[in-house]
Amino acid sequence: MKQKTLANPIKARGVGLHTGHEALMTLKPAPANTGIVFRRIDTSPVVEFPISPNLVQETTLCTTIVKDVEQGLVKIATIEHLMSALAGIGIDNVYIDIDSDEVPIMDGSASHFIFLLQAAGIEFQDAPKKFIRVLKHIRVENDKGGVAEFSPYEGYRLNFSIEFDHPAFEQTAEKMTLDFSSTSYFKEVSRARTFGFMKDMEKLRAQNLGLGAGLHNAIGLDENGVMNLEGLRDKDEFVRHKILDAVGDLFMAGHPIVGEFTAHKSGHALNNQLLRALMADPDAYEIADYLGKEPPIEYGSSKVLL
């Protein structure tokens, strides 16, 4: 199984969900073993963010990477949906140039990013694909009843459960398991949109959050139910989106995970805490390339994944 990058550069323009700022983003091919590198090209000099769990410094309603440089703190917010799409297709190496402080939200899911990546085309590289293989059980929790854990497993399985006291969630499944492959990711979670509660909007906007949010890029929930006229894309879209987020958050490790992830009431902060706990224990994981062996995760094999 070889590493992958893009065959061609591709651009996207859009508005950030929380900042409301417009951004132009260019995804570019990168050499083997480069990894995924975000670059703020509107700063002087350009600030590079080679992905790492330690770059995640803010997790209120999104995953934000932060670097402290001479000109101060430089940030890129809401990277999780793009990271999820990269993980879904299996991209190992890419430069992501952006001229603002937040990745465009697009439609609130990963589907537009997948379309961009497919349109750019996929190029295989002469280097083995690397995986992070979980070797022992790791668990973290918070004081709100949230739990996230890794266990050894030859594949990539994600189990997620949610719990919200709201009428809309009484009519939808609150648990889901995804046996990860490109195909299952595309079909089962990639189109699931982010969601938010109208009762929280005033408070969020006072904190400069949700400034770009609307029913065109998120599921809105009032006191009675879903506000979007088209309704939900899947009856359990909420928990599907939580898995989409987790796939992106966990790809901050820099390589695909081989193991089982189980979470209840987890979010960006706990996902990142779990990843840091794993990486902090050298006995808890190994870097594996599966050369000469059947790979534990199935990705699309064509240069352009349709």
Side-chain angles (χ1 to χ4, degrees):
M1 183 175 281
K2 300 290 188 179
Q3 292 181 26
K4 292 178 185 175
T5 189
L6 301 183
N8 302 284
I10 196 160
K11 298 178 185 287
R13 185 184 296 275
V15 170
L17 180 72
H18 293 297
T19 63
H21 298 162
E22 185 173 281
L24 176 63
M25 185 173 68
T26 306
L27 308 178
K28 297 179 176 179
N33 298 311
T34 298
I36 294 165
V37 182
F38 285 83
R39 302 192 290 201
R40 277 286 300 271
I41 60 171
D42 58 323
T43 62
S44 184
V46 168
V47 177
E48 294 196 346
F49 299 78
I51 60 162
S52 157
N54 296 326
L55 279 179
V56 178
Q57 299 295 325
E58 298 178 12
T59 52
T60 302
L61 299 183
C62 67
T63 294
T64 300
I65 50 178
V66 182
K67 254 197 169 180
D68 192 355
V69 295
E70 269 188 43
Q71 56 265 55
L73 294 179
V74 179
K75 306 179 182 183
I76 306 175
T78 318
I79 66 167
E80 63 271 16
H81 301 166
L82 174 57
M83 288 295 296
S84 189
L86 292 166
I89 286 184
I91 299 294
D92 301 281
N93 307 298
V94 66
Y95 292 118
I96 302 163
D97 292 352
I98 187 166
D99 67 357
S100 190
D101 55 356
E102 187 174 15
V103 171
I105 189 60
M106 313 308 271
D107 74 338
S109 75
S111 60
H112 285 208
F113 295 126
I114 288 171
F115 175 79
L116 282 169
L117 296 168
Q118 290 177 329
I122 308 302
E123 184 173 290
F124 291 91
Q125 299 175 292
D126 192 19
K129 192 177 190 72
K130 297 174 184 176
F131 298 83
I132 291 177
R133 184 168 174 258
V134 176
L135 299 178
K136 73 178 190 181
H137 182 254
I138 298 285
R139 174 187 170 101
V140 296
E141 52 189 82
N142 61 26
D143 58 5
K144 298 177 182 176
V147 177
E149 52 194 331
F150 280 132
S151 301
Y153 176 75
E154 281 305 307
Y156 188 19
R157 176 177 288 167
L158 299 102
N159 311 291
F160 211 108
S161 58
I162 58 176
E163 188 178 313
F164 290 94
D165 184 17
H166 186 278
F169 292 85
E170 295 171 4
Q171 301 159 27
T172 179
E174 296 189 27
K175 294 180 181 179
M176 182 177 177
T177 292
L178 179 75
D179 285 307
F180 183 94
S181 68
S182 286
T183 300
S184 66
Y185 175 84
F186 294 164
K187 289 182 176 179
E188 297 185 42
V189 302
S190 68
R191 296 181 66 252
R193 296 162 293 175
T194 191
F195 57 93
F197 300 89
M198 288 305 297
K199 65 181 177 61
D200 297 331
M201 285 308 296
E202 188 175 333
K203 181 173 69 175
L204 292 175
R205 286 181 171 164
Q207 301 174 57
N208 291 320
L209 294 169
L211 300 178
L215 297 181
H216 59 294
N217 58 27
I219 302 167
L221 295 158
D222 62 16
E223 64 274 14
N224 298 313
V226 174
M227 299 172 64
N228 305 61
L229 292 177
E230 73 277 14
L232 298 178
R233 291 177 176 175
D234 295 286
K235 66 180 188 307
D236 50 357
E237 188 170 0
F238 303 115
V239 71
R240 289 174 189 257
H241 185 78
K242 285 292 190 178
I243 289 184
L244 183 156
D245 277 347
V247 169
D249 287 342
L250 299 179
F251 199 39
M252 289 299 295
H255 305 294
I257 302 288
V258 176
E260 184 163 22
F261 168 77
T262 302
H264 175 64
K265 295 174 65 175
S266 187
H268 303 299
L270 207 55
N271 293 344
N272 183 253
Q273 187 182 336
L274 177 66
L275 204 52
R276 288 186 186 222
L278 177 74
M279 307 299 280
D281 185 347
D283 295 326
Y285 72 97
E286 65 178 2
I287 304 296
D289 59 23
Y290 291 90
L291 279 175
K293 300 177 184 177
E294 186 71 22
I297 301 173
E298 185 180 324
Y299 294 98
S301 58
S302 61
K303 290 197 174 182
V304 177
L305 303 171
L306 299 175

